[in-house]
Short mmCIF file of all heavy atoms in Angstrom, two decimals:
data_model
loop_
_atom_site.label_atom_id
_atom_site.label_comp_id
_atom_site.label_asym_id
_atom_site.label_seq_id
_atom_site.Cartn_x
_atom_site.Cartn_y
_atom_site.Cartn_z
N THR F 193 -58.53 35.76 -15.51
CA THR F 193 -57.83 36.44 -14.41
C THR F 193 -58.54 36.37 -13.07
O THR F 193 -58.06 36.94 -12.08
CB THR F 193 -57.58 37.91 -14.77
OG1 THR F 193 -58.83 38.50 -15.19
CG2 THR F 193 -56.57 38.04 -15.90
N GLY F 194 -59.71 35.71 -13.00
CA GLY F 194 -60.39 35.54 -11.72
C GLY F 194 -61.14 36.78 -11.26
O GLY F 194 -61.43 37.69 -12.04
N GLY F 195 -61.44 36.81 -9.96
CA GLY F 195 -62.30 37.84 -9.41
C GLY F 195 -61.56 39.01 -8.79
O GLY F 195 -60.40 39.28 -9.11
N MET F 196 -62.25 39.69 -7.85
CA MET F 196 -61.71 40.92 -7.28
C MET F 196 -61.90 40.99 -5.77
O MET F 196 -62.10 42.04 -5.19
CB MET F 196 -62.38 42.12 -7.96
CG MET F 196 -63.90 42.17 -7.74
SD MET F 196 -64.67 43.61 -8.51
CE MET F 196 -64.78 43.04 -10.20
N GLY F 197 -61.83 39.83 -5.11
CA GLY F 197 -62.07 39.79 -3.67
C GLY F 197 -61.15 40.69 -2.88
O GLY F 197 -61.52 41.19 -1.81
N GLN F 198 -59.94 40.95 -3.39
CA GLN F 198 -58.98 41.77 -2.66
C GLN F 198 -59.36 43.25 -2.62
O GLN F 198 -58.66 44.05 -1.99
CB GLN F 198 -57.58 41.60 -3.24
CG GLN F 198 -56.95 40.25 -2.96
CD GLN F 198 -56.70 40.02 -1.47
OE1 GLN F 198 -56.46 40.96 -0.72
NE2 GLN F 198 -56.75 38.77 -1.05
N LEU F 199 -60.45 43.62 -3.25
CA LEU F 199 -60.97 44.99 -3.12
C LEU F 199 -61.65 45.20 -1.78
O LEU F 199 -61.88 46.35 -1.37
CB LEU F 199 -61.99 45.29 -4.23
CG LEU F 199 -61.51 45.82 -5.57
CD1 LEU F 199 -62.70 46.09 -6.46
CD2 LEU F 199 -60.67 47.07 -5.41
N PHE F 200 -61.97 44.12 -1.08
CA PHE F 200 -62.78 44.20 0.13
C PHE F 200 -61.94 43.95 1.38
O PHE F 200 -60.86 43.37 1.33
CB PHE F 200 -63.94 43.22 0.04
CG PHE F 200 -64.92 43.55 -1.05
CD1 PHE F 200 -64.70 43.12 -2.36
CD2 PHE F 200 -66.05 44.30 -0.78
CE1 PHE F 200 -65.59 43.45 -3.37
CE2 PHE F 200 -66.94 44.63 -1.79
CZ PHE F 200 -66.70 44.21 -3.10
N GLN F 201 -62.49 44.38 2.51
CA GLN F 201 -61.78 44.30 3.77
C GLN F 201 -61.54 42.86 4.20
O GLN F 201 -60.49 42.52 4.74
CB GLN F 201 -62.56 45.05 4.85
CG GLN F 201 -61.80 45.28 6.15
CD GLN F 201 -62.56 46.22 7.07
OE1 GLN F 201 -63.77 46.40 6.93
NE2 GLN F 201 -61.86 46.81 8.00
N TYR F 202 -62.54 41.99 3.97
CA TYR F 202 -62.41 40.57 4.28
C TYR F 202 -62.74 39.78 3.02
O TYR F 202 -63.75 40.02 2.36
CB TYR F 202 -63.35 40.15 5.40
CG TYR F 202 -63.10 40.85 6.71
CD1 TYR F 202 -63.98 41.81 7.19
CD2 TYR F 202 -61.96 40.57 7.46
CE1 TYR F 202 -63.74 42.46 8.39
CE2 TYR F 202 -61.71 41.22 8.66
CZ TYR F 202 -62.61 42.17 9.11
OH TYR F 202 -62.36 42.82 10.29
N THR F 203 -61.89 38.81 2.71
CA THR F 203 -62.12 38.01 1.52
C THR F 203 -61.54 36.62 1.71
O THR F 203 -60.61 36.42 2.50
CB THR F 203 -61.49 38.66 0.27
OG1 THR F 203 -61.77 37.86 -0.88
CG2 THR F 203 -59.98 38.80 0.41
N THR F 204 -62.10 35.67 0.98
CA THR F 204 -61.56 34.31 0.95
C THR F 204 -60.59 34.13 -0.22
O THR F 204 -60.04 33.05 -0.41
CB THR F 204 -62.69 33.29 0.80
OG1 THR F 204 -63.36 33.51 -0.45
CG2 THR F 204 -63.69 33.41 1.94
N ASN F 205 -60.43 35.17 -1.02
CA ASN F 205 -59.70 35.07 -2.28
C ASN F 205 -58.19 35.09 -2.12
O ASN F 205 -57.65 35.64 -1.14
CB ASN F 205 -60.10 36.21 -3.22
CG ASN F 205 -61.46 36.04 -3.85
OD1 ASN F 205 -61.83 36.81 -4.73
ND2 ASN F 205 -62.25 35.08 -3.40
N SER F 206 -57.54 34.58 -3.13
CA SER F 206 -56.08 34.63 -3.24
C SER F 206 -55.60 36.08 -3.25
O SER F 206 -56.32 36.99 -3.70
CB SER F 206 -55.65 33.95 -4.55
OG SER F 206 -54.37 34.36 -4.94
N PRO F 207 -54.38 36.35 -2.77
CA PRO F 207 -53.84 37.71 -2.81
C PRO F 207 -53.78 38.32 -4.21
O PRO F 207 -53.72 39.55 -4.35
CB PRO F 207 -52.43 37.54 -2.22
CG PRO F 207 -52.53 36.35 -1.35
CD PRO F 207 -53.48 35.42 -2.05
N ILE F 208 -53.80 37.48 -5.25
CA ILE F 208 -53.70 38.03 -6.61
C ILE F 208 -55.07 38.26 -7.25
O ILE F 208 -55.14 38.66 -8.42
CB ILE F 208 -52.85 37.12 -7.52
CG1 ILE F 208 -53.50 35.74 -7.70
CG2 ILE F 208 -51.44 36.99 -6.97
CD1 ILE F 208 -52.80 34.87 -8.72
N ALA F 209 -56.17 38.05 -6.50
CA ALA F 209 -57.52 38.25 -7.04
C ALA F 209 -57.90 39.71 -6.93
O ALA F 209 -58.65 40.13 -6.04
CB ALA F 209 -58.53 37.37 -6.33
N THR F 210 -57.37 40.52 -7.83
CA THR F 210 -57.52 41.97 -7.75
C THR F 210 -58.31 42.59 -8.90
O THR F 210 -58.35 43.81 -9.05
CB THR F 210 -56.13 42.64 -7.65
OG1 THR F 210 -55.29 42.12 -8.69
CG2 THR F 210 -55.47 42.34 -6.31
#
Side-chain angles (χ1 to χ4, degrees):
T193 52
M196 62 179 81
Q198 289 296 330
L199 273 182
F200 295 85
Q201 192 171 20
Y202 298 109
T203 182
T204 62
N205 285 188
S206 160
I208 63 173
T210 50

